[in-house]
mmCIF file with all atom_site columns, all heavy atoms in Angstrom:
data_model
loop_
_atom_site.group_PDB
_atom_site.id
_atom_site.type_symbol
_atom_site.label_atom_id
_atom_site.label_alt_id
_atom_site.label_comp_id
_atom_site.label_asym_id
_atom_site.label_entity_id
_atom_site.label_seq_id
_atom_site.pdbx_PDB_ins_code
_atom_site.Cartn_x
_atom_site.Cartn_y
_atom_site.Cartn_z
_atom_site.occupancy
_atom_site.B_iso_or_equiv
_atom_site.pdbx_formal_charge
_atom_site.auth_seq_id
_atom_site.auth_comp_id
_atom_site.auth_asym_id
_atom_site.auth_atom_id
_atom_site.pdbx_PDB_model_num
ATOM   1   N N   . MET K 1 44  ? 3.663  10.538 -4.866  1.00 98.00 ? 48  MET K N   1
ATOM   2   C CA  . MET K 1 44  ? 4.038  9.723  -3.712  1.00 98.00 ? 48  MET K CA  1
ATOM   3   C C   . MET K 1 44  ? 4.073  10.487 -2.384  1.00 98.00 ? 48  MET K C   1
ATOM   4   O O   . MET K 1 44  ? 4.825  10.140 -1.483  1.00 98.00 ? 48  MET K O   1
ATOM   5   C CB  . MET K 1 44  ? 5.370  9.005  -3.936  1.00 98.00 ? 48  MET K CB  1
ATOM   6   C CG  . MET K 1 44  ? 5.499  8.341  -5.280  1.00 98.00 ? 48  MET K CG  1
ATOM   7   S SD  . MET K 1 44  ? 5.382  6.564  -5.247  1.00 98.00 ? 48  MET K SD  1
ATOM   8   C CE  . MET K 1 44  ? 6.963  6.066  -4.677  1.00 98.00 ? 48  MET K CE  1
ATOM   9   N N   . ARG K 1 47  ? 1.561  6.765  -0.451  1.00 98.00 ? 51  ARG K N   1
ATOM   10  C CA  . ARG K 1 47  ? 1.864  5.611  -1.302  1.00 98.00 ? 51  ARG K CA  1
ATOM   11  C C   . ARG K 1 47  ? 1.579  4.345  -0.487  1.00 98.00 ? 51  ARG K C   1
ATOM   12  O O   . ARG K 1 47  ? 1.250  4.429  0.687   1.00 98.00 ? 51  ARG K O   1
ATOM   13  C CB  . ARG K 1 47  ? 3.300  5.649  -1.867  1.00 98.00 ? 51  ARG K CB  1
ATOM   14  C CG  . ARG K 1 47  ? 4.365  6.351  -1.103  1.00 98.00 ? 51  ARG K CG  1
ATOM   15  C CD  . ARG K 1 47  ? 4.731  5.728  0.205   1.00 98.00 ? 51  ARG K CD  1
ATOM   16  N NE  . ARG K 1 47  ? 4.941  4.303  0.094   1.00 98.00 ? 51  ARG K NE  1
ATOM   17  C CZ  . ARG K 1 47  ? 4.801  3.443  1.075   1.00 98.00 ? 51  ARG K CZ  1
ATOM   18  N NH1 . ARG K 1 47  ? 4.436  3.849  2.299   1.00 98.00 ? 51  ARG K NH1 1
ATOM   19  N NH2 . ARG K 1 47  ? 5.002  2.147  0.916   1.00 98.00 ? 51  ARG K NH2 1
ATOM   20  N N   . GLY K 1 48  ? 1.733  3.193  -1.136  1.00 98.00 ? 52  GLY K N   1
ATOM   21  C CA  . GLY K 1 48  ? 1.358  1.942  -0.478  1.00 98.00 ? 52  GLY K CA  1
ATOM   22  C C   . GLY K 1 48  ? -0.068 1.606  -0.917  1.00 98.00 ? 52  GLY K C   1
ATOM   23  O O   . GLY K 1 48  ? -0.958 2.472  -0.857  1.00 98.00 ? 52  GLY K O   1
ATOM   24  N N   . ALA K 1 49  ? -0.275 0.369  -1.372  1.00 98.00 ? 53  ALA K N   1
ATOM   25  C CA  . ALA K 1 49  ? -1.534 0.007  -2.031  1.00 98.00 ? 53  ALA K CA  1
ATOM   26  C C   . ALA K 1 49  ? -2.812 0.386  -1.252  1.00 98.00 ? 53  ALA K C   1
ATOM   27  O O   . ALA K 1 49  ? -3.663 1.108  -1.778  1.00 98.00 ? 53  ALA K O   1
ATOM   28  C CB  . ALA K 1 49  ? -1.506 -1.476 -2.376  1.00 98.00 ? 53  ALA K CB  1
ATOM   29  N N   . PRO K 1 50  ? -2.973 -0.066 0.018   1.00 98.00 ? 54  PRO K N   1
ATOM   30  C CA  . PRO K 1 50  ? -4.231 0.262  0.687   1.00 98.00 ? 54  PRO K CA  1
ATOM   31  C C   . PRO K 1 50  ? -4.396 1.772  0.928   1.00 98.00 ? 54  PRO K C   1
ATOM   32  O O   . PRO K 1 50  ? -5.500 2.311  0.797   1.00 98.00 ? 54  PRO K O   1
ATOM   33  C CB  . PRO K 1 50  ? -4.138 -0.490 2.024   1.00 98.00 ? 54  PRO K CB  1
ATOM   34  C CG  . PRO K 1 50  ? -3.169 -1.597 1.748   1.00 98.00 ? 54  PRO K CG  1
ATOM   35  C CD  . PRO K 1 50  ? -2.171 -1.009 0.809   1.00 98.00 ? 54  PRO K CD  1
ATOM   36  N N   . ILE K 1 52  ? -3.300 4.165  -0.963  1.00 98.00 ? 56  ILE K N   1
ATOM   37  C CA  . ILE K 1 52  ? -3.681 4.783  -2.242  1.00 98.00 ? 56  ILE K CA  1
ATOM   38  C C   . ILE K 1 52  ? -5.197 4.598  -2.461  1.00 98.00 ? 56  ILE K C   1
ATOM   39  O O   . ILE K 1 52  ? -5.890 5.502  -2.924  1.00 98.00 ? 56  ILE K O   1
ATOM   40  C CB  . ILE K 1 52  ? -2.877 4.148  -3.416  1.00 98.00 ? 56  ILE K CB  1
ATOM   41  C CG1 . ILE K 1 52  ? -1.387 4.483  -3.301  1.00 98.00 ? 56  ILE K CG1 1
ATOM   42  C CG2 . ILE K 1 52  ? -3.411 4.631  -4.760  1.00 98.00 ? 56  ILE K CG2 1
ATOM   43  C CD1 . ILE K 1 52  ? -0.493 3.728  -4.299  1.00 98.00 ? 56  ILE K CD1 1
ATOM   44  N N   . ARG K 1 90  ? -1.676 5.830  -10.649 1.00 98.00 ? 94  ARG K N   1
ATOM   45  C CA  . ARG K 1 90  ? -0.661 4.772  -10.541 1.00 98.00 ? 94  ARG K CA  1
ATOM   46  C C   . ARG K 1 90  ? -1.287 3.460  -11.036 1.00 98.00 ? 94  ARG K C   1
ATOM   47  O O   . ARG K 1 90  ? -2.407 3.135  -10.643 1.00 98.00 ? 94  ARG K O   1
ATOM   48  C CB  . ARG K 1 90  ? -0.154 4.642  -9.091  1.00 98.00 ? 94  ARG K CB  1
ATOM   49  C CG  . ARG K 1 90  ? 0.579  5.912  -8.623  1.00 98.00 ? 94  ARG K CG  1
ATOM   50  C CD  . ARG K 1 90  ? 1.374  5.683  -7.375  1.00 98.00 ? 94  ARG K CD  1
ATOM   51  N NE  . ARG K 1 90  ? 2.542  4.859  -7.609  1.00 98.00 ? 94  ARG K NE  1
ATOM   52  C CZ  . ARG K 1 90  ? 3.296  4.354  -6.634  1.00 98.00 ? 94  ARG K CZ  1
ATOM   53  N NH1 . ARG K 1 90  ? 2.982  4.576  -5.377  1.00 98.00 ? 94  ARG K NH1 1
ATOM   54  N NH2 . ARG K 1 90  ? 4.355  3.616  -6.923  1.00 98.00 ? 94  ARG K NH2 1
ATOM   55  N N   . HIS K 1 157 ? 10.748 -5.598 3.322   1.00 98.00 ? 161 HIS K N   1
ATOM   56  C CA  . HIS K 1 157 ? 11.185 -4.780 2.187   1.00 98.00 ? 161 HIS K CA  1
ATOM   57  C C   . HIS K 1 157 ? 10.146 -3.697 1.943   1.00 98.00 ? 161 HIS K C   1
ATOM   58  O O   . HIS K 1 157 ? 8.956  -3.927 2.134   1.00 98.00 ? 161 HIS K O   1
ATOM   59  C CB  . HIS K 1 157 ? 11.300 -5.700 0.958   1.00 98.00 ? 161 HIS K CB  1
ATOM   60  C CG  . HIS K 1 157 ? 11.847 -5.038 -0.261  1.00 98.00 ? 161 HIS K CG  1
ATOM   61  N ND1 . HIS K 1 157 ? 13.066 -4.399 -0.296  1.00 98.00 ? 161 HIS K ND1 1
ATOM   62  C CD2 . HIS K 1 157 ? 11.349 -4.928 -1.532  1.00 98.00 ? 161 HIS K CD2 1
ATOM   63  C CE1 . HIS K 1 157 ? 13.290 -3.939 -1.522  1.00 98.00 ? 161 HIS K CE1 1
ATOM   64  N NE2 . HIS K 1 157 ? 12.260 -4.237 -2.279  1.00 98.00 ? 161 HIS K NE2 1
ATOM   65  N N   . CYS K 1 158 ? 10.595 -2.537 1.523   1.00 98.00 ? 162 CYS K N   1
ATOM   66  C CA  . CYS K 1 158 ? 9.710  -1.411 1.229   1.00 98.00 ? 162 CYS K CA  1
ATOM   67  C C   . CYS K 1 158 ? 8.984  -0.990 2.514   1.00 98.00 ? 162 CYS K C   1
ATOM   68  O O   . CYS K 1 158 ? 9.504  -1.179 3.622   1.00 98.00 ? 162 CYS K O   1
ATOM   69  C CB  . CYS K 1 158 ? 8.722  -1.763 0.116   1.00 98.00 ? 162 CYS K CB  1
ATOM   70  S SG  . CYS K 1 158 ? 7.839  -0.335 -0.541  1.00 98.00 ? 162 CYS K SG  1
ATOM   71  N N   . ASN K 1 159 ? 7.796  -0.431 2.382   1.00 98.00 ? 163 ASN K N   1
ATOM   72  C CA  . ASN K 1 159 ? 7.014  -0.088 3.571   1.00 98.00 ? 163 ASN K CA  1
ATOM   73  C C   . ASN K 1 159 ? 5.594  -0.603 3.390   1.00 98.00 ? 163 ASN K C   1
ATOM   74  O O   . ASN K 1 159 ? 4.874  -0.149 2.494   1.00 98.00 ? 163 ASN K O   1
ATOM   75  C CB  . ASN K 1 159 ? 6.979  1.423  3.817   1.00 98.00 ? 163 ASN K CB  1
ATOM   76  C CG  . ASN K 1 159 ? 6.016  1.771  4.955   1.00 98.00 ? 163 ASN K CG  1
ATOM   77  O OD1 . ASN K 1 159 ? 4.855  2.098  4.712   1.00 98.00 ? 163 ASN K OD1 1
ATOM   78  N ND2 . ASN K 1 159 ? 6.467  1.652  6.192   1.00 98.00 ? 163 ASN K ND2 1
ATOM   79  N N   . ALA K 1 160 ? 5.238  -1.570 4.220   1.00 98.00 ? 164 ALA K N   1
ATOM   80  C CA  . ALA K 1 160 ? 3.874  -2.097 4.235   1.00 98.00 ? 164 ALA K CA  1
ATOM   81  C C   . ALA K 1 160 ? 3.342  -1.893 5.652   1.00 98.00 ? 164 ALA K C   1
ATOM   82  O O   . ALA K 1 160 ? 2.864  -2.802 6.307   1.00 98.00 ? 164 ALA K O   1
ATOM   83  C CB  . ALA K 1 160 ? 3.864  -3.567 3.836   1.00 98.00 ? 164 ALA K CB  1
ATOM   84  N N   . GLY K 1 161 ? 3.470  -0.643 6.101   1.00 98.00 ? 165 GLY K N   1
ATOM   85  C CA  . GLY K 1 161 ? 3.123  -0.321 7.480   1.00 98.00 ? 165 GLY K CA  1
ATOM   86  C C   . GLY K 1 161 ? 1.942  0.622  7.581   1.00 98.00 ? 165 GLY K C   1
ATOM   87  O O   . GLY K 1 161 ? 1.121  0.728  6.658   1.00 98.00 ? 165 GLY K O   1
ATOM   88  N N   . ALA K 1 164 ? 1.518  2.947  4.791   1.00 98.00 ? 168 ALA K N   1
ATOM   89  C CA  . ALA K 1 164 ? 1.064  2.408  3.507   1.00 98.00 ? 168 ALA K CA  1
ATOM   90  C C   . ALA K 1 164 ? -0.415 2.026  3.543   1.00 98.00 ? 168 ALA K C   1
ATOM   91  O O   . ALA K 1 164 ? -0.948 1.492  2.568   1.00 98.00 ? 168 ALA K O   1
ATOM   92  C CB  . ALA K 1 164 ? 1.902  1.192  3.132   1.00 98.00 ? 168 ALA K CB  1
ATOM   93  N N   . THR K 1 165 ? -1.052 2.276  4.681   1.00 98.00 ? 169 THR K N   1
ATOM   94  C CA  . THR K 1 165 ? -2.458 1.893  4.881   1.00 98.00 ? 169 THR K CA  1
ATOM   95  C C   . THR K 1 165 ? -3.143 3.048  5.633   1.00 98.00 ? 169 THR K C   1
ATOM   96  O O   . THR K 1 165 ? -2.530 4.091  5.868   1.00 98.00 ? 169 THR K O   1
ATOM   97  C CB  . THR K 1 165 ? -2.539 0.615  5.743   1.00 98.00 ? 169 THR K CB  1
ATOM   98  O OG1 . THR K 1 165 ? -1.882 0.869  7.010   1.00 98.00 ? 169 THR K OG1 1
ATOM   99  C CG2 . THR K 1 165 ? -1.840 -0.575 5.084   1.00 98.00 ? 169 THR K CG2 1
ATOM   100 N N   . THR K 1 170 ? 0.056  -3.852 6.919   1.00 98.00 ? 174 THR K N   1
ATOM   101 C CA  . THR K 1 170 ? -0.178 -5.264 6.574   1.00 98.00 ? 174 THR K CA  1
ATOM   102 C C   . THR K 1 170 ? 1.009  -6.107 7.072   1.00 98.00 ? 174 THR K C   1
ATOM   103 O O   . THR K 1 170 ? 0.928  -6.726 8.131   1.00 98.00 ? 174 THR K O   1
ATOM   104 C CB  . THR K 1 170 ? -0.391 -5.410 5.055   1.00 98.00 ? 174 THR K CB  1
ATOM   105 O OG1 . THR K 1 170 ? 0.732  -4.841 4.358   1.00 98.00 ? 174 THR K OG1 1
ATOM   106 C CG2 . THR K 1 170 ? -1.661 -4.725 4.620   1.00 98.00 ? 174 THR K CG2 1
ATOM   107 N N   . GLN K 1 197 ? 11.769 3.604  0.720   1.00 98.00 ? 201 GLN K N   1
ATOM   108 C CA  . GLN K 1 197 ? 10.626 3.396  1.633   1.00 98.00 ? 201 GLN K CA  1
ATOM   109 C C   . GLN K 1 197 ? 11.058 2.627  2.875   1.00 98.00 ? 201 GLN K C   1
ATOM   110 O O   . GLN K 1 197 ? 10.444 2.765  3.935   1.00 98.00 ? 201 GLN K O   1
ATOM   111 C CB  . GLN K 1 197 ? 9.510  2.613  0.920   1.00 98.00 ? 201 GLN K CB  1
ATOM   112 C CG  . GLN K 1 197 ? 8.759  3.391  -0.141  1.00 98.00 ? 201 GLN K CG  1
ATOM   113 C CD  . GLN K 1 197 ? 9.334  3.151  -1.521  1.00 98.00 ? 201 GLN K CD  1
ATOM   114 O OE1 . GLN K 1 197 ? 10.528 2.900  -1.674  1.00 98.00 ? 201 GLN K OE1 1
ATOM   115 N NE2 . GLN K 1 197 ? 8.514  3.256  -2.534  1.00 98.00 ? 201 GLN K NE2 1
ATOM   116 N N   . GLY K 1 236 ? 4.493  -6.773 1.837   1.00 98.00 ? 240 GLY K N   1
ATOM   117 C CA  . GLY K 1 236 ? 3.109  -6.492 1.449   1.00 98.00 ? 240 GLY K CA  1
ATOM   118 C C   . GLY K 1 236 ? 2.911  -6.847 -0.011  1.00 98.00 ? 240 GLY K C   1
ATOM   119 O O   . GLY K 1 236 ? 3.729  -7.561 -0.604  1.00 98.00 ? 240 GLY K O   1
ATOM   120 N N   . ALA K 1 237 ? 1.834  -6.352 -0.600  1.00 98.00 ? 241 ALA K N   1
ATOM   121 C CA  . ALA K 1 237 ? 1.565  -6.619 -2.020  1.00 98.00 ? 241 ALA K CA  1
ATOM   122 C C   . ALA K 1 237 ? 0.794  -5.462 -2.630  1.00 98.00 ? 241 ALA K C   1
ATOM   123 O O   . ALA K 1 237 ? 0.011  -4.792 -1.944  1.00 98.00 ? 241 ALA K O   1
ATOM   124 C CB  . ALA K 1 237 ? 0.758  -7.897 -2.174  1.00 98.00 ? 241 ALA K CB  1
ATOM   125 N N   . ASP K 1 238 ? 1.034  -5.233 -3.906  1.00 98.00 ? 242 ASP K N   1
ATOM   126 C CA  . ASP K 1 238 ? 0.289  -4.204 -4.647  1.00 98.00 ? 242 ASP K CA  1
ATOM   127 C C   . ASP K 1 238 ? -0.834 -4.815 -5.472  1.00 98.00 ? 242 ASP K C   1
ATOM   128 O O   . ASP K 1 238 ? -1.837 -4.178 -5.750  1.00 98.00 ? 242 ASP K O   1
ATOM   129 C CB  . ASP K 1 238 ? 1.233  -3.402 -5.546  1.00 98.00 ? 242 ASP K CB  1
ATOM   130 C CG  . ASP K 1 238 ? 2.035  -2.451 -4.685  1.00 98.00 ? 242 ASP K CG  1
ATOM   131 O OD1 . ASP K 1 238 ? 3.065  -2.875 -4.139  1.00 98.00 ? 242 ASP K OD1 1
ATOM   132 O OD2 . ASP K 1 238 ? 1.589  -1.306 -4.511  1.00 98.00 ? 242 ASP K OD2 1
ATOM   133 N N   . ASN K 1 248 ? 4.852  -6.613 -6.098  1.00 98.00 ? 252 ASN K N   1
ATOM   134 C CA  . ASN K 1 248 ? 5.217  -5.781 -4.947  1.00 98.00 ? 252 ASN K CA  1
ATOM   135 C C   . ASN K 1 248 ? 6.465  -4.989 -5.325  1.00 98.00 ? 252 ASN K C   1
ATOM   136 O O   . ASN K 1 248 ? 7.016  -5.136 -6.426  1.00 98.00 ? 252 ASN K O   1
ATOM   137 C CB  . ASN K 1 248 ? 5.439  -6.647 -3.701  1.00 98.00 ? 252 ASN K CB  1
ATOM   138 C CG  . ASN K 1 248 ? 5.539  -5.807 -2.436  1.00 98.00 ? 252 ASN K CG  1
ATOM   139 O OD1 . ASN K 1 248 ? 4.688  -4.954 -2.172  1.00 98.00 ? 252 ASN K OD1 1
ATOM   140 N ND2 . ASN K 1 248 ? 6.580  -5.988 -1.645  1.00 98.00 ? 252 ASN K ND2 1
ATOM   141 N N   . LYS K 1 249 ? 6.916  -4.159 -4.419  1.00 98.00 ? 253 LYS K N   1
ATOM   142 C CA  . LYS K 1 249 ? 8.041  -3.259 -4.679  1.00 98.00 ? 253 LYS K CA  1
ATOM   143 C C   . LYS K 1 249 ? 9.212  -3.962 -5.350  1.00 98.00 ? 253 LYS K C   1
ATOM   144 O O   . LYS K 1 249 ? 9.565  -5.082 -4.978  1.00 98.00 ? 253 LYS K O   1
ATOM   145 C CB  . LYS K 1 249 ? 8.467  -2.634 -3.341  1.00 98.00 ? 253 LYS K CB  1
ATOM   146 C CG  . LYS K 1 249 ? 9.585  -1.636 -3.397  1.00 98.00 ? 253 LYS K CG  1
ATOM   147 C CD  . LYS K 1 249 ? 9.401  -0.545 -4.418  1.00 98.00 ? 253 LYS K CD  1
ATOM   148 C CE  . LYS K 1 249 ? 8.117  0.233  -4.283  1.00 98.00 ? 253 LYS K CE  1
ATOM   149 N NZ  . LYS K 1 249 ? 7.787  1.051  -5.491  1.00 98.00 ? 253 LYS K NZ  1
ATOM   150 N N   . ALA K 1 313 ? 8.917  0.163  -11.003 1.00 98.00 ? 317 ALA K N   1
ATOM   151 C CA  . ALA K 1 313 ? 8.664  0.338  -9.565  1.00 98.00 ? 317 ALA K CA  1
ATOM   152 C C   . ALA K 1 313 ? 8.300  -0.970 -8.857  1.00 98.00 ? 317 ALA K C   1
ATOM   153 O O   . ALA K 1 313 ? 8.347  -1.041 -7.625  1.00 98.00 ? 317 ALA K O   1
ATOM   154 C CB  . ALA K 1 313 ? 7.557  1.368  -9.367  1.00 98.00 ? 317 ALA K CB  1
ATOM   155 N N   . PHE K 1 314 ? 7.911  -1.980 -9.632  1.00 98.00 ? 318 PHE K N   1
ATOM   156 C CA  . PHE K 1 314 ? 7.457  -3.240 -9.017  1.00 98.00 ? 318 PHE K CA  1
ATOM   157 C C   . PHE K 1 314 ? 8.018  -4.434 -9.781  1.00 98.00 ? 318 PHE K C   1
ATOM   158 O O   . PHE K 1 314 ? 8.477  -4.289 -10.909 1.00 98.00 ? 318 PHE K O   1
ATOM   159 C CB  . PHE K 1 314 ? 5.916  -3.301 -9.039  1.00 98.00 ? 318 PHE K CB  1
ATOM   160 C CG  . PHE K 1 314 ? 5.285  -2.136 -8.303  1.00 98.00 ? 318 PHE K CG  1
ATOM   161 C CD1 . PHE K 1 314 ? 4.847  -1.021 -8.999  1.00 98.00 ? 318 PHE K CD1 1
ATOM   162 C CD2 . PHE K 1 314 ? 5.160  -2.132 -6.931  1.00 98.00 ? 318 PHE K CD2 1
ATOM   163 C CE1 . PHE K 1 314 ? 4.304  0.077  -8.335  1.00 98.00 ? 318 PHE K CE1 1
ATOM   164 C CE2 . PHE K 1 314 ? 4.628  -1.054 -6.246  1.00 98.00 ? 318 PHE K CE2 1
ATOM   165 C CZ  . PHE K 1 314 ? 4.194  0.061  -6.957  1.00 98.00 ? 318 PHE K CZ  1
HETATM 166 O O1  . LIG T 2 .   ? 5.681  2.564  -4.668  1.00 71.78 ? 406 LIG T O1  1
HETATM 167 P P1  . LIG T 2 .   ? 5.019  2.326  -3.348  1.00 71.78 ? 406 LIG T P1  1
HETATM 168 O O2  . LIG T 2 .   ? 5.747  2.921  -2.201  1.00 71.78 ? 406 LIG T O2  1
HETATM 169 O O3  . LIG T 2 .   ? 3.560  2.714  -3.392  1.00 71.78 ? 406 LIG T O3  1
HETATM 170 O O4  . LIG T 2 .   ? 5.066  0.753  -3.180  1.00 71.78 ? 406 LIG T O4  1
HETATM 171 C C1  . LIG T 2 .   ? 4.546  0.192  -2.009  1.00 71.78 ? 406 LIG T C1  1
HETATM 172 C C2  . LIG T 2 .   ? 4.727  -1.270 -1.917  1.00 71.78 ? 406 LIG T C2  1
HETATM 173 O O5  . LIG T 2 .   ? 5.264  -1.910 -2.801  1.00 71.78 ? 406 LIG T O5  1
HETATM 174 C C3  . LIG T 2 .   ? 4.133  -1.947 -0.715  1.00 71.78 ? 406 LIG T C3  1
HETATM 175 O O6  . LIG T 2 .   ? 4.880  -3.060 -0.350  1.00 71.78 ? 406 LIG T O6  1
HETATM 176 C C4  . LIG T 2 .   ? 2.692  -2.405 -1.046  1.00 71.78 ? 406 LIG T C4  1
HETATM 177 O O7  . LIG T 2 .   ? 1.958  -1.344 -1.580  1.00 71.78 ? 406 LIG T O7  1
HETATM 178 C C5  . LIG T 2 .   ? 1.997  -2.945 0.129   1.00 71.78 ? 406 LIG T C5  1
HETATM 179 S S1  . LIG T 2 .   ? 1.583  -1.705 1.284   1.00 71.78 ? 406 LIG T S1  1
HETATM 180 C C6  . LIG T 2 .   ? 0.690  -2.369 2.539   1.00 71.78 ? 406 LIG T C6  1
#
Side-chain angles (χ1 to χ4, degrees):
M48 314 253 282
R51 28 67 48 206
I56 294 171
R94 296 195 71 190
H161 185 56
C162 192
N163 173 265
T169 58
T174 55
Q201 288 95 330
D242 285 85
N252 192 50
K253 182 51 55 195
F318 301 97

